[in-house]
Amino acid sequence: MQETGNNQSQTYNLSIRLHADGFSFYSYNPTRTEPVAIEDYIYHEEESVAETLKKAIAQSAIVRKRNNPVVYGLVTGLSMQVPLECFRKEEAHALYRLTYAQEKTGKTYYNILPHLEIAQIFTVDHEVERILNQHFPGIRFYHSHTMILEKLWLLAQQDKRQLYAYFDEKRSFRIRLSGTTIMLCQYLSGRRGGQCGILHPFRMERPENGCTSGGMHTIG
């Protein structure tokens, strides 16, 4: 079981962000002028995902420099939430397959979000999971939605209205909360260069509460 938490970052933490078309290595070193280092890799048709991943691990300067044994794998893609009162870890895979019966299967993982009282269920490609566990024993997998939900929960504890924005490639979703009340919801999509230029408001409550004041948090 993997619970989310806000542990203090250590020198040369390594996180591996897994995407549909590739992956990225991230490291964090608070002692440097530019504390965050990033290496991006794209999958190619001429070689398998496993070959690309192995080659990247062998060549990566970020991987060579890490001095912290804890490695995090951040997964994107499909996921689902289950209330903790209904969640049983032995049923996690069956619940996921019931929800996404037509999707390619993988190794099932779940994160526990105790403050929100939910379990986040997701999968990791079998070959990717095998290689990462081989090179980084004890790697901890989290879904990107897990991190976003926890961050929003922490922000929601502050006693003021906030505007949240979640960016996903050429789309963004913005929501404004006042306590637990939805004041504004907007969905935007972009046509070129990843720019969000077309507004699709699908729900609006109390429009007199605009977004001209207060804090704005970008999450992506």
Side-chain angles (χ1 to χ4, degrees), residues 127-145:
E127 189 67 8
V128 170
E129 194 263 354
R130 182 188 66 80
I131 293 172
L132 291 180
N133 270 302
Q134 178 182 348
H135 286 84
F136 310 107
I139 184 173
R140 304 176 184 178
F141 289 101
Y142 295 92
H143 198 279
S144 59
H145 295 169

Side-chain angles (χ1 to χ4, degrees), residues 15-198:
S15 65
I16 304 171
R17 317 288 178 93
L18 303 174
H19 315 289
D21 60 349
F23 54 93
S24 306
F25 293 144
Y26 283 67
S27 72
Y28 177 72
N29 182 355
T31 65
R32 299 179 65 89
T33 305
E34 297 183 359
V36 178
I38 305 173
E39 295 176 354
D40 295 314
Y41 299 88
I42 302 297
Y43 296 134
H44 300 286
E45 293 183 358
E46 57 269 20
E47 66 179 8
S48 67
V49 171
E51 291 173 341
T52 304
L53 189 55
K54 289 179 181 177
K55 186 183 301 183
I57 292 172
Q59 298 175 350
S60 171
I62 290 178
V63 172
R64 289 197 303 271
K65 288 181 180 179
R66 74 184 182 96
N67 58 7
N68 185 348
V70 179
V71 178
Y72 300 95
L74 189 63
V75 183
T76 60
L78 299 174
S79 70
M80 63 177 294
Q81 297 86 35
V82 179
L84 282 183
E85 62 181 351
C86 304
F87 177 71
R88 302 291 182 273
K89 62 180 182 180
E90 62 272 13
E91 299 175 353
H93 180 73
L95 283 172
Y96 186 89
R97 294 304 302 158
L98 181 64
T99 305
Y100 300 113
Q102 304 302 318
E103 299 297 328
K104 180 182 178 181
T105 187
K107 177 69 177 294
T108 303
Y109 282 86
Y110 64 89
N111 305 141
I112 300 296
L113 288 80
H115 298 305
L116 295 173
E117 299 183 354
I118 62 172
Q120 187 90 24
I121 306 175
F122 58 98
T123 62
V124 181
D125 179 84
H126 283 297
E127 189 67 8
V128 170
E129 194 263 354
R130 182 188 66 80
I131 293 172
L132 291 180
N133 270 302
Q134 178 182 348
H135 286 84
F136 310 107
I139 184 173
R140 304 176 184 178
F141 289 101
Y142 295 92
H143 198 279
S144 59
H145 295 169
T146 298
M147 314 312 292
I148 291 168
L149 287 171
E150 184 181 62
K151 180 63 175 180
L152 292 180
W153 181 87
L154 291 171
L155 293 172
Q157 306 313 300
Q158 302 176 14
D159 188 22
K160 61 181 180 179
R161 291 174 295 183
Q162 303 284 1
L163 175 65
Y164 306 109
Y166 172 54
F167 296 93
D168 181 12
E169 296 182 349
K170 295 183 179 181
R171 299 168 297 174
S172 72
F173 175 73
R174 298 191 298 181
I175 181 170
R176 181 166 186 169
L177 303 176
S178 179
T180 57
T181 303
I182 297 177
M183 312 301 293
L184 172 71
C185 288
Q186 292 178 328
Y187 169 77
L188 299 93
S189 63
R191 292 297 180 87
R192 62 174 66 180
Q195 299 297 316
C196 297
I198 301 176

